[in-house]
Amino acid sequence: MADDFDLLETDSTSKQEKVDVNWGKAVDQMKSKLAQEDDPNVRQKILNATLDDVVGMAETDRKSLLEAIKDLTDYQDEVGIIFEKFSTLNAKEQKVIDDAQKALERAKIALEDAEKVKDNWWNNLWGRKSKIKKRQAELDAAQKTREGADMKAKAMFQERIETADVQTLLNELSYKSQAAVGRLKTRETEIKEVEDKLQVAIVEASKNHTKALEKKKETEDKLEEQYALLKQARQALEEISDKQSSAYSEAIGKVTTIEQKVEELEGLKNAYTTLAASKDSFVHKHNLTIKVLTSLRSNLQTHRAKLKSDTDERLKYYDGYVVALKARTDQEFAAILEHLGVKTDEHIGQTLASMHTASAKARQEMMDNIPVHEKVMQGVYSSYAEALQEIRVKDSEIQKNFADRYGIDMKEIFEEYYANDGATPSEKGDDDAPAPAPAAEDDLLS
């Protein structure tokens, strides 16, 4: 359990690939981005917030996150951080890099195989050199494709997150934070290794400083001896009166030899003095560098520990934020459904109420139309009776006409014809009597 909670642990055995960082204006740009002040009206926004306001606030969060992610991605390029190791790539984006890497490896193997073919006249005759040249060209092309794969994947990544939702952007930010934790730990390991080397360098410099001082002291002692000999030689030279004698020449030679020795020893003394000063200086320089690196490493540990711990907590915090956004959406959806339900209930109620009132009105109209209908029917019956009267009068004339012209007594025929109405015409042909309707007419037409 203790190991799991050791946020400051720096394990030099799990060393990762070093990444050179070219520090520049990118740091200042990022600080400027992060230093932008919040809206002073935040409190008022919170007090007056509605669910609709949340939509705009969430979109603002998304745009801010999007800008931050894009800035971080550009920052990776500026400081030399490998893009694919600091961003979450989907399968399509990762495939661009993987395919380019596999093609590069295949091209390397193909070139190696071509170069392994024995260099003799027979193999050269069958195109050994041309195959090597072709494979080399393929390798160069594959290398160029691999170098551009990161940029292509990055472009696809940037295009994808342009329309990404808040959850995707938060996941990307969390991934970058987790990647940064690993990067900081790698940097701490690198600094610790340099500190160890500097500690060794301090020991070596101290030893060399001591040796230089010892050599300087030995040289100074030898110089004292040579100074004494030189003094004696010069005194002996002065005592020789015959400047042309061989003794004088020997004395001059002895003085010159001693002077050369003194010159050499003085040079050694200066060299050892300079070397001792240089080693002493580097002892202090290395010591200062170690202090600076230790301070930086301590700060990195602090940042890493906080970032690691905060990222773990932040993931839960982000989950809560995303769930809250979804809950807000669900709440709005429920409100929309409730609104539609109320409106539907209202419309159905209106329709049912209208149906009832329309039905009642129809019943009233039906009742109101009965007298009108009866009145109309009375007119119909009156017209019908009037028409029948005219027909009977006409029939009476026809009977008389038949009797006069053809000697046919139509009385019995017409009496039977009008039997159904019970109103047969009189023998005298009374014009006022109603004429019976022809009952056998339908049978004649059947």
Side-chain angles (χ1 to χ4, degrees):
M1 183 63 69
D3 293 339
D4 294 337
F5 195 73
D6 188 5
L7 299 176
L8 299 178
E9 178 188 2
T10 301
D11 186 5
S12 60
T13 59
S14 59
K15 182 179 178 182
Q16 301 179 9
E17 180 181 354
K18 295 181 181 179
V19 180
D20 293 331
V21 178
N22 299 319
W23 300 104
K25 62 180 181 180
V27 174
D28 294 333
Q29 290 175 349
M30 290 302 298
K31 285 183 178 179
S32 176
K33 287 280 185 182
L34 296 174
Q36 293 178 355
E37 295 184 0
D38 292 331
D39 191 335
N41 298 321
V42 168
R43 180 177 179 274
Q44 201 62 34
K45 287 183 178 180
I46 296 174
L47 292 174
N48 300 329
T50 64
L51 286 177
D52 290 336
D53 295 335
V54 176
V55 176
M57 296 169 70
E59 178 60 19
T60 300
D61 291 343
R62 192 193 75 83
K63 289 181 178 178
S64 300
L65 271 171
L66 177 60
E67 291 178 1
I69 295 298
K70 292 171 71 175
D71 288 341
L72 282 171
T73 304
D74 293 336
Y75 175 69
Q76 291 170 210
D77 290 339
E78 293 192 40
V79 299
I81 299 175
I82 298 177
F83 167 74
E84 62 177 299
K85 292 186 177 180
F86 238 76
S87 294
T88 49
L89 305 180
N90 62 18
K92 186 177 180 181
E93 294 157 357
Q94 187 63 51
K95 189 174 185 299
V96 172
I97 297 174
D98 293 342
D99 289 349
Q101 183 62 37
K102 290 176 182 176
L104 177 61
E105 293 172 357
R106 287 194 299 268
K108 289 179 179 179
I109 295 173
L111 178 60
E112 291 174 358
D113 291 342
E115 291 175 340
K116 287 178 181 178
V117 176
K118 192 173 182 180
D119 186 5
N120 54 38
W121 70 271
W122 178 256
N123 290 331
N124 290 332
L125 180 64
W126 286 98
R128 175 183 176 275
K129 292 182 179 179
S130 61
K131 288 181 181 178
I132 292 176
K133 186 176 181 180
K134 181 181 178 181
R135 295 291 181 261
Q136 183 62 55
E138 291 174 351
L139 177 60
D140 294 340
Q143 182 67 44
K144 187 175 181 181
T145 301
R146 177 62 186 88
E147 291 172 355
D150 286 345
M151 294 304 297
K152 184 177 180 180
K154 177 187 173 184
M156 294 170 65
F157 167 82
Q158 293 281 45
E159 183 178 357
R160 175 170 60 88
I161 68 168
E162 192 69 34
T163 56
D165 56 14
V166 172
Q167 185 172 8
T168 301
L169 295 175
L170 287 174
N171 290 340
E172 175 63 22
L173 183 61
S174 298
Y175 182 87
K176 288 185 183 293
S177 298
Q178 291 168 337
V181 169
R183 178 179 171 81
L184 290 175
K185 190 169 184 178
T186 300
R187 188 66 66 197
E188 292 170 35
T189 302
E190 183 181 353
I191 291 176
K192 186 66 172 63
E193 291 175 354
V194 174
E195 288 178 17
D196 294 340
K197 291 178 181 178
L198 287 174
Q199 289 286 4
V200 174
I202 287 177
V203 173
E204 292 297 323
S206 298
K207 290 180 179 179
N208 291 331
H209 176 257
T210 302
K211 289 180 180 179
L213 291 178
E214 291 174 351
K215 290 290 185 180
K216 176 175 175 287
K217 182 64 172 64
E218 292 176 4
T219 304
E220 287 175 344
D221 293 341
K222 291 178 180 179
L223 267 175
E224 290 297 327
E225 295 177 0
Q226 294 300 319
Y227 283 147
L229 293 174
L230 180 59
K231 183 177 181 181
Q232 293 176 1
R234 286 176 176 173
Q235 186 176 357
L237 180 62
E238 291 177 358
E239 292 176 353
I240 299 174
S241 57
D242 187 1
K243 307 300 182 183
Q244 302 298 324
S245 64
S246 58
Y248 187 79
S249 298
E250 291 176 0
I252 291 177
K254 186 177 182 180
V255 170
T256 302
T257 301
I258 295 174
E259 287 177 344
Q260 288 178 336
K261 189 66 173 178
V262 168
E263 187 70 26
E264 290 176 359
L265 291 172
E266 286 180 346
L268 284 175
K269 175 188 174 183
N270 293 333
Y272 287 130
T273 301
T274 303
L275 184 60
S278 174
K279 295 303 177 183
D280 183 60
S281 173
F282 273 105
V283 167
H284 294 293
K285 289 177 182 177
H286 292 337
N287 186 52
L288 176 61
T289 305
I290 288 175
K291 289 180 180 179
V292 172
L293 290 178
T294 303
S295 175
L296 290 173
R297 182 163 58 85
S298 176
N299 291 338
L300 286 177
Q301 286 178 331
T302 302
H303 283 297
R304 177 172 61 85
K306 188 175 186 303
L307 185 60
K308 183 176 184 297
S309 177
D310 289 356
T311 299
D312 293 339
E313 300 297 333
R314 200 166 279 127
L315 288 174
K316 304 168 189 174
Y317 181 56
Y318 290 165
D319 287 342
Y321 174 61
V322 171
V323 169
L325 286 180
K326 292 179 179 178
R328 182 265 156 207
T329 303
D330 293 340
Q331 185 176 352
E332 180 66 15
F333 185 63
I336 292 172
L337 287 177
E338 175 65 17
H339 178 72
L340 289 176
V342 169
K343 283 295 180 184
T344 302
D345 295 346
E346 179 183 321
H347 293 162
I348 292 175
Q350 291 176 357
T351 303
L352 289 173
S354 299
M355 190 182 299
H356 183 267
T357 55
S359 177
K361 287 180 179 179
R363 178 180 54 79
Q364 288 179 351
E365 289 177 0
M366 180 182 67
M367 298 298 292
D368 290 341
N369 285 335
I370 288 176
V372 176
H373 177 67
E374 290 178 347
K375 193 173 186 178
V376 171
M377 290 305 295
Q378 184 179 2
V380 169
Y381 292 140
S382 297
S383 300
Y384 173 61
E386 183 178 350
L388 286 177
Q389 180 64 28
E390 292 177 356
I391 290 171
R392 286 170 178 159
V393 171
K394 186 69 176 177
D395 285 345
S396 179
E397 292 176 355
I398 291 173
Q399 290 177 36
K400 184 178 181 181
N401 190 356
F402 264 77
D404 293 342
R405 293 177 62 185
Y406 304 106
I408 301 173
D409 188 2
M410 300 294 295
K411 181 178 180 182
E412 294 180 0
I413 297 175
F414 279 95
E415 283 181 351
E416 182 180 356
Y417 184 79
Y418 290 113
N420 292 333
D421 292 335
T424 58
S426 62
E427 295 180 0
K428 297 180 180 180
D430 188 1
D431 294 338
D432 295 332
E441 184 178 358
D442 290 340
D443 293 337
L444 296 174
L445 296 177
S446 62

